[in-house]
Each structure stands twice: as C-alpha cells, then as structure tokens.
C-alpha cells in the first residue's frame, strides 16, 4: 500500500532543497530501529543520501541538486512495510542571490559554486537561535543590516558565564538539571556534568532541529553562511559527555537534517582542546562520518582554544583559528597560510567589548585594525562582541542588537575586498621586486600566478604625513588614500615613476595603488 504523500514538489531551483516526506513505522525507537535513504540521478550527478525520522510517524529525505534538468529519485529503507517510492522532478535555474555553496578557490580563498568570489566577514553568536523568539527575530534584523556574511553558532545549548539561562529548546527527550541552583559563582562546577539531567540520548526532539533549520533558512535568505558548531565543552546537560555510540548517532542525524542546505559550513567543535573526554581518534572518526555522509562536501574545520588542530589533515578544508597570542592575530596569517596551505579564517581574534575577561574587552578601533591586518595578509577575520548592558544580552552569545563601533566599518572593508581584481589578497614579501621607500610596510597584492599591478598598503597604528612609492617607469598608477575608520576614499591622482603621496597623519590609513584603468 502506498504511503501517504506528504510533501514533494515537482520543481526546485538549482542548489535548492528537494524534500520527500513519507509516513512510516512509529513503533519501537524510530531514530535507531529504521532507515530511509534516497537515490537521486540527473544527467550530471548521481547521489545517495540518508534521511531521518522527523517525529509523528514521518520520515524525510532531502536533496540539494547541483545542476539543472530532470532528476529521478527512488526512496528505500526499512522505515515502512512498503518502502519503495520513486518519481521525477525538474531543477530550474538558480534564483537571484543563489550562488550555490561556498567552496575553496585558488587554494587560499573562497568562491561560491557558480564562481562568484566570496570574502568571509564573519561573526560569532553562539546560541542566538536558542533565545526567545523575539530576540531571534531581532538578531536576524541586525544581521540583515550588517556586512556579516557568515555566523558561527551552536546546535547544542551553551552553558557559560553571562549565559546561564535555559535554551529555547533541547535536542533530546528528557529533563534538564534544575537551573535554579545555578549561580554565577558555581556555574563552572556544572560544565560537562550530567548530574540532575535525565536525557534519552537515543531519542531526538525533532522540533529542536526543525527550529534550527528554520534559522538556517532565514540566514540563507539573507545571503549569510551558517557555520554550525556541532560540539563544544560549555555544557551542564551532559551533551559533551555522551558515549561513542551516542555521539555517532547524533552526527548522523545532524548531517542527514542539515547537509542539503547550501549555506551550511561544519565546525566539528568550538575549542575542541577543552574537551579532554574526546580523543584525537574521536575527532577523526567524526570527520570520517562527515566526509562520508555529507555528499555535497560542505566546508569543514575545527576550532581551538590553546592548541591548534593539525589543519594539514586532508578532511579539513580551511583553518578555523582562535588567536593563540593575546596581541598577535592577523599578523600571523602569512605564517599560517604557508604552514597549512589552506584558507585562514580567524574566527576569534578576541571580542570588542568591556567585560572583565581579557578575551572580551578590546575597543572597536582595535577590532577593526585586526580585521584589516588579517585581510591584507590574505586571511579572513571574524568578529565578536561582549558589551555589558542593562538587558544582560551579549551579542557573542545571545544576539540581539550590536552595540560596538567596529561592525559598520566592516562594510567598507568588504567593499575593498570585492573590488580586488582577482581571487583575493596575499601579503607581498619584503624581498619582492617592488621598490618602496620603506620595505617593512605591510603591502598586499592580488593572489595570482600572474602579477597584477594592484597594491594595497595598510599602516595600522602608524601616523605618517606622506609616503613615497616607485614601481616602474612605464605604467601610470592611480592612487587612493583609504581612511579605514572614517570609511572614506580620497583620490590622489595618477602617477608615473617615483612619486610621493600625502597622508593625513592619523592611524588606520590604507593606500590603494593600481594601474590606470584596472578598476
């Protein structure tokens, strides 16, 4: 007998989500006792994906088509007495704003699958999606009006200083520890401790994951990548202490639910090295599950606290780095690029704010400086904000409204990056055959095999009244002075040979020089 047809459209855009929902077995434990999978065939691809149980006797399979045209599909598994189900659907061209998943491009940079360059300007907002509905909507409105095109956040709830409230929902059936016993003084004693919790780690709460999917979709519509933190140590519920079998069940479920969303990135953990209960073998096992089950090959990394992971591991697509030095962040991008031979994303370079903890109290000027230091060296910086306020809401954890002065400056940096005539920037080595008055000046050029007459200098703290430049005697160069704090561009004219450029004698100035007519 054919199962009830619940949701299945006949048409989907390229890199959209084709979903089949079918009724099946309710008895036993549907999360562990039954399987469902789909086989999808088009002219240019053939993929098999696993589905998942979504509660109320409903099983779902999701697929993200990478090409236009006619596809056939077949559903199978043990989820029902009559599990076979098949059909066809049409994939239409991608709609405006849909460029596909982000991929690594030119080894050290990123581009969407349709070839459009992607310059990551990220932020961290760990559990914004697990706050009140009103606060979540406020966060989305803030993101809509910002330059951020990536946001890191957790699947599990988070328990940490300034974030002791109960989450919007829980991932498992059961009951949590009584939060009334928690205070700011004793919260650390609960980290990773399951005492008082009563969870069934084999039975997910589908509404928790469905809600996160809604937020991933919301971000997708804003053109923002969802960098999902799958595991983390800041836990009073026991989710960081699950067994190997429970972890693997969780990983398989999360991948089956989320991997069809084109804007998903995977972060295996936030601060993996603060989870001593997980071994290196565990992390590598999670990675192998991810590589096998995510048939779309979304971007993958893992985030450190003190000790960086070995980013040369083949499953890692890019470095996700927390600064390991309190003062140097962007300044080490070139070193890390050369060491790991992959894109460098500085997901945490400490946060703009005023809390008592030193990772959360730099001013906006310093945050913006670190962004430019990283970007000019060919890296991609990430933001966070931890300002105390009467509402006790810190963007870094809760979302809401940004209070800092740096975020609005990132739009200016993003504009400059998008105007780069190539895949991205790379720091020029001081020995490069470019004659400068001061060879130790920080200078970037286009990261390309062929030289491009484009140079971006960043002077950071320095306050020069002028600089001299010399590249060659033939080309004419256009010169612009960029005030990275006031977000202004001053055109200085066209020059040939050796020339001098007046500067405003203030901090945070950049100079952009390029062959006439290049931009």
């Amino acid at each position: 007998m054919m199962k009830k047809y619940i949701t299945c459209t006949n048409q989907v855009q390229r890199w959209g989500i084709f979903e089949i929902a079918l009724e099946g077995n309710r008895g036993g434990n549907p999360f562990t006792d039954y399987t469902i999978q789909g086989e999808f065939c088009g002219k240019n691809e053939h993929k098999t994906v696993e589905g998942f149980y979504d509660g109320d006797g409903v099983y779902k399979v999701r697929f993200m088509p990478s090409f236009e045209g006619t596809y056939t599909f077949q559903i199978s598994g043990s989820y029902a007495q009559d599990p076979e189900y098949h059909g066809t659907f049409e994939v239409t061209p991608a709609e405006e704003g849909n460029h596909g998943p982000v991929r690594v491009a030119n080894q050290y940079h990123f581009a969407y699958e349709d070839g459009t360059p992607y310059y990551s300007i990220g932020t961290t907002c760990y559990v914004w999606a697990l706050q009140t509905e009103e606060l979540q909507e406020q966060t989305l409105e803030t993101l809509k009006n910002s330059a951020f095109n990536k946001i890191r956040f957790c699947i599990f709830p988070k328990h940490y200083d300034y974030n002791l409230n109960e989450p919007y929902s829980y991932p498992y059936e059961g009951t949590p520890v009584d939060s009334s016993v928690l205070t700011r003084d004793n919260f650390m004693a609960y980290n990773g401790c399951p005492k008082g919790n009563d969870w069934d780690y084999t039975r997910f709460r589908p509404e928790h994951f469905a809600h996160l999917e809604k937020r991933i979709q919301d971000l997708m519509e804003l053109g923002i990548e969802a960098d999902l933190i799958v595991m983390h140590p800041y836990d009073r519920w026991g989710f960081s202490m699950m067994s190997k079998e429970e972890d693997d069940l969780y990983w398989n479920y999360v991948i089956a639910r989320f991997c069809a969303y084109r804007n998903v990135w995977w972060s295996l953990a936030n601060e993996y090295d603060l989870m001593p209960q997980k071994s290196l073998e565990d992390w590598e096992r999670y990675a192998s599950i991810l590589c096998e089950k995510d048939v779309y090959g979304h971007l993958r990394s893992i985030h450190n606290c003190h000790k960086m992971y070995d980013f040369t591991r083949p499953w890692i697509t890019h470095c996700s780095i927390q600064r390991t030095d309190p003062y140097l962040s962007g300044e080490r991008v070139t070193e890390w690029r050369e060491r790991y031979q992959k894109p460098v994303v500085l997901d945490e370079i400490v946060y703009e704010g005023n809390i008592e903890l030193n990772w959360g109290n730099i001013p906006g000027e310093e945050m913006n400086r670190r962004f430019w230091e990283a970007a000019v060296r060919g890296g991609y910086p990430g933001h966070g904000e931890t300002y105390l306020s009467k509402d006790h809401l810190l963007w870094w954890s809760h979302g809401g409204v940004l209070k800092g002065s740096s975020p609005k400056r990132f739009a200016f940096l993003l504009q400059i990056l998008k105007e780069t005539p190539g895949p991205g920037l790379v720091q020029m080595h001081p020995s490069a055959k470019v004659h400068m008055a001061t060879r130790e000046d920080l200078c970037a050029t286009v990261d390309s095999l062929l030289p491009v007459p484009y140079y971006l200098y960043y002077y950071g703290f320095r306050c020069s009244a002028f600089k001299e430049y010399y590249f060659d005697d033939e080309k004419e160069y256009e010169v612009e002075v960029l005030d990275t704090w006031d977000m202004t561009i001053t055109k200085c004219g066209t020059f040939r040979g050796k020339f001098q450029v007046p500067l405003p004698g203030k901090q945070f100035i950049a100079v952009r020089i390029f062959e006439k007519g290049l931009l």
Side-chain angles (χ1 to χ4, degrees), residues 97-108:
N98 173 5
H99 301 288
V102 174
R103 308 296 191 193
V104 172
N106 297 85
Q107 187 169 353
Y108 298 104

Side-chain angles (χ1 to χ4, degrees), residues 146-393:
S146 76
F148 295 123
N149 55 24
K150 182 173 82 75
I151 182 170
R152 302 170 63 231
F153 62 102
C154 302
I155 298 172
F156 283 142
K158 181 183 179 185
H159 172 75
Y160 192 64
D161 208 355
Y162 297 107
N163 189 77
L164 305 180
N165 60 303
E166 293 302 317
Y168 179 88
S169 60
Y170 298 99
Y172 293 99
E173 294 294 337
T175 55
V177 64
D178 181 4
S179 61
S180 66
V181 304
L182 299 174
T183 68
R184 192 167 181 272
D185 294 326
N186 73 4
F187 80 94
M188 285 299 290
Y190 285 84
N191 271 10
C193 178
K195 183 179 179 181
N197 294 302
D198 181 22
W199 304 112
D200 184 344
Y201 295 123
T202 68
R203 290 183 180 270
F204 300 100
R205 279 184 175 163
E207 59 269 24
H208 175 86
F209 297 91
H211 174 72
L212 290 174
E213 289 162 358
K214 181 179 184 302
R215 292 316 185 197
I216 294 170
Q217 181 73 37
D218 290 336
L219 293 170
M220 183 193 299
E221 292 171 0
L222 293 176
I224 298 173
E225 302 298 298
D227 195 350
L228 298 179
I229 297 169
V230 186
M231 307 181 85
H232 67 79
Y234 301 105
D235 172 37
R236 72 168 182 263
W237 301 276
F239 305 140
S240 63
M241 306 293 287
M242 296 189 299
S243 69
K244 173 182 176 180
E245 293 73 21
E246 292 162 347
D247 282 345
D248 290 359
L249 181 66
Y250 166 65
W251 273 95
N252 278 279
Y253 192 72
V254 164
I255 296 167
R257 292 202 69 125
F258 296 150
C259 73
Y261 291 85
R262 64 178 177 268
N263 62 325
V264 160
W265 297 26
W266 301 107
S267 178
L268 268 66
N270 188 62
E271 300 181 341
Y272 83 96
D273 49 326
L274 298 188
M275 300 179 71
Q277 67 275 26
K278 306 301 182 186
S279 66
L280 180 61
E281 289 73 20
D282 287 324
W283 297 116
E284 290 295 309
R285 188 180 76 257
Y286 306 146
S288 67
I289 295 172
L290 183 56
C291 289
E292 176 188 356
K293 299 299 177 65
D294 175 10
V295 298
Y296 312 106
H298 289 293
L299 295 175
R300 304 177 296 264
S301 196
I302 187 168
H303 184 70
N304 66 288
C305 183
H306 304 293
K307 182 180 179 181
M308 285 197 289
Y309 207 86
D310 178 8
F311 291 118
T312 64
R313 295 293 299 148
W315 61 266
I316 295 177
T317 58
H318 64 284
C319 308
S320 173
I321 293 176
Q322 175 175 177
R323 58 89 184 101
T324 54
D325 181 289
Y327 304 106
L328 298 177
S329 294
E331 290 84 346
R332 297 187 65 187
V333 165
T334 300
E335 170 194 338
W336 290 326
R337 277 175 46 123
E338 293 175 354
R339 181 189 306 173
Y340 299 117
Q341 299 290 300
K342 293 176 182 179
V344 174
V345 181
L346 301 182
D347 279 314
E348 187 176 341
I349 50 179
V350 310
Y351 302 146
E352 178 182 354
N354 61 2
I355 61 175
E356 79 282 12
L357 302 165
N358 287 338
W359 51 260
N361 54 24
I362 64 172
E365 292 88 345
E366 174 61 8
M367 175 64 79
N368 195 51
R369 185 194 71 82
R370 294 185 183 204
F371 260 64
W372 277 83
E373 289 280 354
V376 172
R377 287 174 166 83
Y380 295 94
H383 157 273
E385 183 182 286
T386 49
Y387 278 106
L388 295 173
S389 59
K390 292 181 179 179
D391 59 15
H392 303 292
L393 299 177

Side-chain angles (χ1 to χ4, degrees), residues 36-226:
I36 184 171
Q37 55 271 336
E39 185 177 2
F40 298 85
C41 294
K43 180 181 178 180
N44 298 297
E45 65 178 338
H46 181 179
K47 297 186 184 298
T48 300
V49 300
E50 291 192 3
F52 58 92
Y53 182 62
D54 198 38
D56 295 326
V58 176
Y59 294 77
K60 291 184 177 180
V61 178
R62 291 176 176 150
F63 174 67
M64 181 188 74
S66 297
F67 300 92
E68 299 171 26
T70 301
Y71 278 75
T72 62
F73 70 88
Q74 180 167 323
I75 307 300
S76 60
S78 61
Y79 70 98
Q81 289 183 339
D82 182 19
E84 298 294 329
Y85 186 77
H86 58 85
T88 63
F89 62 95
E90 292 294 321
V91 180
T92 60
E95 297 174 359
E96 184 178 358
N98 173 5
H99 301 288
V102 174
R103 308 296 191 193
V104 172
N106 297 85
Q107 187 169 353
Y108 298 104
H109 305 285
F110 301 103
Y112 295 98
E113 195 162 296
D114 71 353
T116 303
Y118 170 81
Y119 305 97
S120 179
I121 300 290
T123 188
T124 290
C125 206
Y126 285 121
V127 281
W128 75 274
L130 299 179
Q131 306 302 312
T132 65
E133 195 80 31
E134 179 182 7
L135 188 55
Q136 292 174 50
E137 293 297 331
Q138 189 178 58
T139 303
L140 288 168
E141 185 65 22
T142 299
L143 291 169
K144 178 182 178 181
N145 296 299
S146 76
F148 295 123
N149 55 24
K150 182 173 82 75
I151 182 170
R152 302 170 63 231
F153 62 102
C154 302
I155 298 172
F156 283 142
K158 181 183 179 185
H159 172 75
Y160 192 64
D161 208 355
Y162 297 107
N163 189 77
L164 305 180
N165 60 303
E166 293 302 317
Y168 179 88
S169 60
Y170 298 99
Y172 293 99
E173 294 294 337
T175 55
V177 64
D178 181 4
S179 61
S180 66
V181 304
L182 299 174
T183 68
R184 192 167 181 272
D185 294 326
N186 73 4
F187 80 94
M188 285 299 290
Y190 285 84
N191 271 10
C193 178
K195 183 179 179 181
N197 294 302
D198 181 22
W199 304 112
D200 184 344
Y201 295 123
T202 68
R203 290 183 180 270
F204 300 100
R205 279 184 175 163
E207 59 269 24
H208 175 86
F209 297 91
H211 174 72
L212 290 174
E213 289 162 358
K214 181 179 184 302
R215 292 316 185 197
I216 294 170
Q217 181 73 37
D218 290 336
L219 293 170
M220 183 193 299
E221 292 171 0
L222 293 176
I224 298 173
E225 302 298 298

